Amino acid sequence: MKKYELSLTRNYVSSWGTIEAIRELIQNAYDEENEDIEFSKGYISITNKGVSIPSSTLALGTSTKRDDVDKVGCYGEGFKLAILVLLREGYDVSITNGNKIWSPSFEYSELFETEVLCIEETEGSGNDLTFTISGIPQYTIDELKEDFIGINDESYNSISTMYGEILTDDKYKGKMFVNGLPIMSDGKFEFGYNFKPEYVSLDRDRKSINLRELYEITSLAITYMDNPDFDLIDNIIDGHSDDGYYLKQRNINLNDDFVKEYSEHLKERFGVDDNTIVVNEESKEIIKELKRKQQDDSSIKFVETPKAIYADVLNRNNSYSSSMLNDIHNEIRHKSAIEEAWDSYDYSDYKSFKDWFDKYGQDLTTQGREEFEEIISNIEPSDFDLIREEVWNAQS
């Protein structure tokens, strides 16, 4: 028989409870793969078949997966902390480690002069690694079964992406996972997400993801679907959830393949051809300039999109539209103050009244003309003072 004294006291990781401890053990099983997780009345059994771990993992800082980017944590510290917490919470814990039996307990240490976690090792028989936790209430078992994804191959609906899975079942709405491990919930998200570990930064407790990182990785997942669902992407962009937030804000780089395929979908949605200019409906100045150009050239066609990201995607694959918009941007940027004043005047109510005055003003008395001029002076366009004399001296 061997006994290992670990330099871990009963009150270490005081923020952890039963759920955190058991989910750590389940996550280790997921990481090792070939897992078998059994929920029964009063106990949970977590097994990796054909696996054992060396006694060196009982030392702090050692791990069986430190350099594996596909794993959530470093297999070593996590399972020791889980054992400590479960003992502290009053559960019985037994470990079959290949052909060894590990029996954990709290014992007083002469070396550390305090109570510490100890592992007693005896001979056994077997080839698997199994953690058995007894005395667990049913509500805790139910919560764990609900929290984890695909326990013992339980089916669920998802969309596969380069960055993990988009979870489409209602019960996963707003829930964030990493490699199946439940991390956090955020009700502002329409879908759940199960991210690959290499794309997410987690602290030791693994209870949150930085919000900016969450905005970015959900947006990337949406644009890197294995089999893109463009109607779903439209609904995300048009909706008010935080899914794809950085996509909506045009704050991520879109890959060329996505842009090419998505633009074909958007062409059909908005009725765009290669000779149509695409502009976001919020680009008021550009739309005003396009309308002005249409008066001189009726062949000019343009379509307004409800979101700027739609115009961005379409214009990356429409050289005519992007070229025309670039020219318009340059024209607007180089317009003189007087040209801007004329533009404001040409599309104003003031001009309509002025035209009426030029047509019928001669029938008014001198006093009437003066009163009219005073009244419409209250609706002068901005910068009208730059062109007032020229406007009023012009012949109708």
Side-chain angles (χ1 to χ4, degrees):
M1 182 187 75
K2 292 182 180 179
K3 183 177 288 187
Y4 302 95
E5 288 188 356
L6 282 63
S7 57
L8 297 172
T9 61
R10 182 186 291 267
N11 294 322
Y12 191 51
V13 288
S14 58
S15 62
W16 279 29
T18 302
I19 296 295
E20 288 82 4
I22 296 177
R23 78 174 193 165
E24 178 69 28
L25 295 178
I26 293 175
Q27 186 59 57
N28 286 339
Y30 274 11
D31 284 349
E32 281 293 339
E33 300 177 347
N34 198 24
E35 76 277 359
D36 181 28
I37 301 170
E38 180 182 353
F39 294 93
S40 190
K41 187 174 182 178
Y43 79 89
I44 296 175
S45 176
I46 304 166
T47 298
N48 283 111
K49 296 180 179 180
V51 171
S52 63
I53 53 177
S55 57
S56 61
T57 59
L58 295 173
L60 290 178
T62 58
S63 169
T64 61
K65 57 182 179 182
R66 178 164 301 279
D67 298 320
D68 192 337
V69 296
D70 293 327
K71 312 302 184 185
V72 169
C74 296
Y75 193 177
E77 182 180 66
F79 88 88
K80 296 188 285 288
L81 301 185
I83 293 169
L84 181 149
V85 170
L86 291 169
L87 290 178
R88 184 174 69 205
E89 295 290 315
Y91 302 114
D92 293 327
V93 181
S94 63
I95 305 160
T96 301
N97 183 21
N99 60 1
K100 307 291 183 183
I101 305 296
W102 283 359
S103 302
S105 62
F106 287 115
E107 296 184 20
Y108 181 82
S109 168
E110 296 289 346
L111 176 63
F112 296 110
E113 297 182 344
T114 190
E115 190 180 52
V116 298
L117 178 63
C118 293
I119 305 292
E120 183 180 280
E121 181 181 273
T122 56
E123 295 298 320
S125 61
N127 299 303
D128 304 330
L129 173 64
T130 300
F131 293 83
T132 303
I133 306 102
S134 304
I136 302 176
Q138 188 60 43
Y139 68 83
T140 300
I141 292 176
D142 291 342
E143 182 177 347
L144 285 162
K145 290 173 70 176
E146 185 71 18
D147 276 352
F148 275 83
I149 300 175
I151 288 285
N152 288 340
D153 297 324
E154 178 187 3
S155 63
Y156 60 93
N157 295 304
S158 67
I159 299 170
S160 180
T161 85
M162 174 179 171
Y163 291 84
E165 298 173 294
I166 301 173
L167 308 173
T168 56
D169 291 335
D170 287 343
K171 72 175 183 177
Y172 294 126
K173 175 183 171 67
K175 293 184 178 181
M176 307 299 163
F177 301 80
V178 176
N179 202 28
L181 173 70
I183 302 296
M184 59 179 285
S185 294
D186 190 325
K188 293 180 180 179
F189 287 81
E190 180 68 22
F191 299 101
Y193 296 85
N194 183 27
F195 302 118
K196 295 179 181 179
E198 61 264 38
Y199 296 115
V200 183
S201 302
L202 296 174
D203 60 15
R204 187 188 65 187
D205 288 345
R206 299 173 229 177
K207 290 184 177 180
S208 66
I209 303 172
N210 177 277
L211 187 58
R212 281 194 289 257
E213 185 175 11
L214 197 55
Y215 286 158
E216 179 179 25
I217 193 171
T218 58
S219 298
L220 290 170
I222 290 165
T223 59
Y224 277 91
M225 295 181 190
D226 291 352
N227 296 294
D229 183 339
F230 294 126
D231 289 329
L232 177 67
I233 295 173
D234 285 353
N235 290 335
I236 289 173
I237 293 174
D238 291 335
H240 301 290
S241 71
D242 280 352
D243 303 77
Y245 183 81
Y246 276 0
L247 173 61
K248 299 176 189 180
Q249 297 297 316
R250 304 145 73 200
N251 201 24
I252 60 168
N253 293 322
L254 301 178
N255 72 83
D256 290 338
D257 289 340
F258 172 78
V259 170
K260 182 178 180 180
E261 294 178 16
Y262 192 33
S263 66
E264 291 302 316
H265 165 82
L266 294 177
K267 282 181 180 180
E268 184 175 346
R269 174 181 171 182
F270 293 110
V272 174
D273 60 31
D274 292 338
N275 296 312
T276 302
I277 301 168
V278 184
V279 61
N280 176 236
E281 64 185 21
E282 297 298 323
S283 302
K284 302 299 184 184
E285 195 171 13
I286 294 175
I287 292 171
K288 182 177 73 174
E289 185 67 18
L290 284 168
K291 288 180 177 178
R292 188 186 67 77
K293 287 181 177 296
Q294 277 185 326
Q295 293 176 353
D296 299 326
D297 184 353
S298 60
S299 69
I300 291 178
K301 300 181 299 179
F302 70 92
V303 167
E304 300 176 35
T305 65
K307 302 291 181 180
I309 185 61
Y310 294 143
D312 285 355
V313 170
L314 285 165
N315 284 319
R316 269 181 60 173
N317 264 25
N318 186 331
S319 58
Y320 169 75
S321 177
S322 58
S323 176
M324 286 290 290
L325 288 174
N326 185 61
D327 290 344
I328 292 172
H329 276 295
N330 289 332
E331 289 174 11
I332 292 173
R333 190 162 50 243
H334 293 99
K335 272 187 177 180
S336 69
I338 291 178
E339 286 175 319
E340 291 284 0
W342 275 110
D343 281 348
S344 297
Y345 168 70
D346 285 339
Y347 292 94
S348 67
D349 289 336
Y350 186 95
K351 184 177 186 300
S352 298
F353 283 113
K354 172 66 169 58
D355 290 344
W356 178 93
F357 182 73
D358 289 342
K359 187 173 182 179
Y360 300 108
Q362 69 273 13
D363 297 330
L364 298 175
T365 65
T366 301
Q367 182 179 351
R369 291 173 62 87
E370 290 174 352
E371 289 180 2
F372 183 86
E373 290 182 26
E374 183 178 354
I375 291 170
I376 69 169
S377 67
N378 293 323
I379 59 171
E380 287 184 356
S382 60
D383 299 328
F384 187 65
D385 56 307
L386 297 175
I387 59 173
R388 182 183 294 107
E389 183 177 349
E390 187 174 358
V391 168
W392 280 96
N393 287 338
Q395 297 296 316
S396 60

